[in-house]
Amino acid sequence: AVVSTQSTGDKMENEDLLRWAFPEDVWFHVDKLSSAHVYLRLNKGESVSEIPRELVEQCCQLVKANSIQGCKMAAVDIVYTPFPNLKKTGDMVAGQVGFHKNKKVIKVNIEKNNEIWKKLEKTREEREVDLPLGWVL
């Protein structure tokens, strides 16, 4: 069962989520294009292979719709991987990440699906994030 999804609006928000993500998070992004980062939080003990295909599709549609270039394309490649596989080095720009192991990265091609997107928009909820004490945006 999934606890929540979170998405970012810009590269600085991407950095914030990279800093505060959980080991149970799965990270989604449009491959080779600028896009929001979508995090899917699994329950402890669940693995990427257990995510229902329908939920993967929904996360991919969220990422695609929140990519300035990707939202205009008929189809895009989306990559997703467990959060602990993300690698951030000092020479990377804000919002940029790499991977520790490429074999843990899953790539899917997603076509625009307005039906899924409309359903997701109807359930959209925005919440304030309770950041650790002393941490400021």
Side-chain angles (χ1 to χ4, degrees):
V2 174
V3 176
S4 68
T5 60
Q6 300 174 13
S7 69
T8 59
D10 63 33
K11 61 186 177 182
M12 296 316 292
E13 287 178 4
N14 292 342
E15 288 297 309
D16 294 340
L17 279 181
L18 285 169
R19 184 177 299 128
W20 300 109
F22 285 49
E24 296 83 19
D25 290 346
V26 179
W27 174 88
F28 290 77
H29 195 274
V30 176
D31 195 28
K32 298 182 174 74
L33 295 175
S34 175
S35 77
H37 294 201
V38 169
Y39 288 80
L40 175 66
R41 178 141 315 142
L42 303 178
N43 288 319
K44 288 186 182 197
E46 289 182 320
S47 70
V48 172
S49 64
E50 296 176 79
I51 304 170
R53 178 72 195 134
E54 180 182 357
L55 187 52
V56 169
E57 173 80 17
Q58 290 172 351
C59 290
C60 290
Q61 290 294 332
L62 281 172
V63 172
K64 183 182 183 324
N66 287 287
S67 169
I68 293 170
Q69 296 165 293
C71 72
K72 298 172 188 168
M73 301 169 71
V76 294
D77 286 333
I78 307 288
V79 292
Y80 64 102
T81 191
F83 169 75
N85 191 41
L86 295 181
K87 176 173 68 175
K88 181 76 178 175
T89 59
D91 61 337
M92 293 178 168
V93 297
Q96 181 182 10
V97 297
F99 307 110
H100 291 289
K101 295 181 181 179
N102 285 329
K103 68 180 183 177
K104 289 188 172 187
V105 179
I106 300 166
K107 183 187 282 190
V108 293
N109 186 269
I110 295 294
E111 294 182 3
K112 187 174 188 174
N113 185 321
N114 286 329
E115 184 179 325
I116 291 175
W117 177 240
K118 286 177 186 175
K119 286 180 184 177
L120 291 171
E121 274 298 300
K122 287 180 183 178
T123 63
R124 183 181 185 151
E125 210 176 288
E126 293 190 28
R127 297 181 185 176
E128 289 291 319
V129 178
D130 186 18
L131 297 172
L133 187 62
W135 198 81
V136 180
L137 282 175

